[in-house]
Amino acid sequence: MTERYSRQQFFQPVGNKGQQQIRSKHVLVVGAGALGSASAEALVRAGIGKLTLVDRDYVEWSNLQRQQLYTEQDAQNKLPKAVAAKNRLRQINTEVKIEALVMDAQPANLESIVQTADVIIDATDNFDIRFILNDLSHKYEVPWIYGSCVGSYGATYTVIPNVTPCLHCILKKVPVGGATCETAGIISPAVQIVAAYQITEALKILVEDVEALRHTFLTFDVWNNQHAEFKTGKMKSDKCSSCGSTQTYPYLAYENQLKTEVLCGRETVQIRPSQRHLYNFDELEKRLKKQGKVDRNPYLLSCQLPEQRFVIFQDGRVFIHGTNDIQFARSLYYRLLG
């Protein structure tokens, strides 16, 4: 037994064998915000063999209140969250192999990663991606753990392919609207509670203690002292297109066209080109300096316009802050990047 993990190994359900299993496993964490930060740090401290972090965003000042891996310097430098997280996690445990990917969580990007993962942890902020994870989970028979939080509320659910009802069975379709961190705020304890449940379920899967898994959809409101669970067994549907007898994985369908979306709860539009496009930041900086103040790092370039902020990532994605008007955002995109 090594001293580093001794207290975890003294816990009987883990033990020496469980620690060896943890060390041999690969976890994919999708999203490196509040839940992703907490989950990634816990897994790295637990001695996971490999951690893959996927996130499309960069660190902003409003993140620092609850996203525990990041510093003021990260926000000042607009460092991509996946990169900033990897930098911090390396300081915590050099034994863990950490892969940080600055990209959109889309089927084409995730499919090869999911195939090698033992567990997927949902640390995203929208249901479109969660339904993609749900379909990938069932296509490749990889367990995934749903988690969400807003205000003082949180929810989590563990999906085991071929055993439990999937998210599609429970919700039927992608929810529209609802409170977000931008509209209802969020307190850090809600994040920590959801992450604690998610990581505990992940550890059970990693050490193969399936009997200990929780088969309920759990919700809580930590501020108002409320806690509820409901059993989901009877919700499993043989007609479900994600996990039923005829699986078509509807949320993995991809049309090869420009993708535009308003980011969850933010006055920001993301534009994702149909083809990966690598920009020459030197040339782009010269062009955009005529439009406004330009800042850059190795991962992104930012241009402050009079009323909007234009952020271009190396993979071709663009964030347009200061609007949720998709048509306006598209016209601005074509005017500046044409």
Side-chain angles (χ1 to χ4, degrees):
M1 179 190 298
T2 62
E3 179 66 23
R4 178 171 203 144
Y5 308 112
S6 61
R7 303 306 185 267
Q8 186 165 274
Q9 289 170 262
F10 285 145
F11 180 61
Q12 190 274 329
V14 175
N16 293 337
K17 179 182 178 182
Q19 190 61 48
Q20 292 172 4
Q21 289 173 311
I22 292 169
R23 185 67 186 135
S24 69
K25 301 293 177 65
H26 173 203
V27 177
L28 166 63
V29 177
V30 182
L35 287 176
S37 292
S39 296
E41 180 172 340
L43 288 165
V44 165
R45 290 188 183 279
I48 190 69
K50 180 179 178 181
L51 175 73
T52 298
L53 271 172
V54 172
D55 193 277
R56 65 186 177 183
D57 212 342
Y58 58 92
V59 182
E60 298 184 89
W61 290 94
S62 62
N63 302 149
L64 302 182
Q65 164 255 349
R66 67 198 178 282
Q67 299 183 17
Q68 65 192 49
L69 290 178
Y70 309 127
T71 66
E72 292 183 353
Q73 191 67 51
D74 295 329
Q76 185 174 332
N77 294 339
K78 296 183 177 65
L79 206 60
K81 290 181 180 179
V83 175
K86 181 177 180 178
N87 291 344
R88 174 60 178 149
L89 293 170
R90 275 177 166 171
Q91 295 176 330
I92 293 171
N93 193 341
T94 57
E95 296 177 356
V96 177
K97 182 178 180 181
I98 301 170
E99 183 179 31
L101 301 172
V102 184
M103 67 182 192
D104 226 4
Q106 296 297 320
N109 295 335
L110 293 175
E111 207 144 352
S112 62
I113 305 169
V114 168
Q115 292 178 60
T116 68
D118 296 287
V119 181
I120 305 165
I121 293 182
D122 162 36
T124 67
D125 61 2
N126 70 84
F127 278 96
D128 292 291
I129 297 176
R130 289 179 180 126
F131 273 70
I132 288 170
L133 294 181
N134 188 68
D135 275 6
L136 287 172
S137 161
H138 287 83
K139 183 175 181 179
Y140 296 105
E141 298 187 352
V142 179
W144 78 283
I145 305 166
Y146 160 78
S148 65
C149 46
V150 65
S152 57
Y153 168 89
T156 180
Y157 176 63
T158 303
V159 179
I160 308 296
N162 304 316
V163 176
T164 67
C166 74
L167 192 68
H168 196 181
C169 289
I170 294 171
L171 298 182
K172 308 304 181 187
K173 61 181 180 179
V174 176
V176 178
T180 70
C181 296
E182 289 283 325
T183 60
I186 187 168
I187 56 173
S188 183
V191 174
Q192 299 302 320
I193 293 171
V194 172
Y197 277 114
Q198 286 184 293
I199 290 301
T200 303
E201 292 290 282
L203 288 172
K204 293 174 189 177
I205 294 169
L206 295 173
V207 304
E208 300 175 10
D209 188 3
V210 294
E211 295 300 319
L213 287 168
R214 188 191 69 252
H215 296 294
T216 60
F217 194 105
L218 182 149
T219 66
F220 66 84
D221 185 330
V222 67
W223 195 269
N224 293 304
N225 308 306
Q226 297 171 350
H227 179 282
E229 296 181 66
F230 63 86
K231 295 180 179 179
T232 60
K234 293 183 179 180
M235 301 179 76
K236 188 168 178 59
S237 171
D238 187 58
K239 296 180 180 179
C240 177
S241 55
S242 295
C243 74
S245 57
T246 306
Q247 299 175 1
T248 59
Y249 313 117
Y251 295 96
L252 301 186
Y254 178 82
E255 301 79 29
N256 190 26
Q257 59 184 24
L258 186 73
K259 297 289 183 178
T260 310
E261 62 179 317
V262 178
L263 297 189
C264 179
R266 298 166 65 180
E267 197 179 23
T268 301
V269 173
Q270 174 181 259
I271 296 178
R272 175 167 49 87
S274 58
Q275 301 294 327
R276 181 179 172 87
H277 184 88
L278 296 179
Y279 286 105
N280 182 320
F281 274 13
D282 291 334
E283 293 180 1
L284 197 57
E285 182 176 5
K286 291 178 183 177
R287 190 197 321 174
L288 292 180
K289 274 185 174 178
K290 300 174 183 177
Q291 306 294 330
K293 184 179 183 295
V294 173
D295 295 306
R296 61 182 280 191
N297 61 41
Y299 310 98
L300 58 86
L301 183 147
S302 172
C303 179
Q304 183 63 57
L305 305 174
E307 296 183 8
Q308 285 78 36
R309 182 156 51 90
F310 204 75
V311 180
I312 305 102
F313 292 83
Q314 275 287 7
D315 64 0
R317 289 178 301 113
V318 173
F319 284 1
I320 301 175
H321 297 284
T323 183
N324 54 17
D325 183 329
I326 287 178
Q327 288 302 115
F328 171 76
R330 281 181 172 174
S331 67
L332 187 61
Y333 173 85
Y334 286 121
R335 178 166 68 84
L336 294 182
L337 296 181

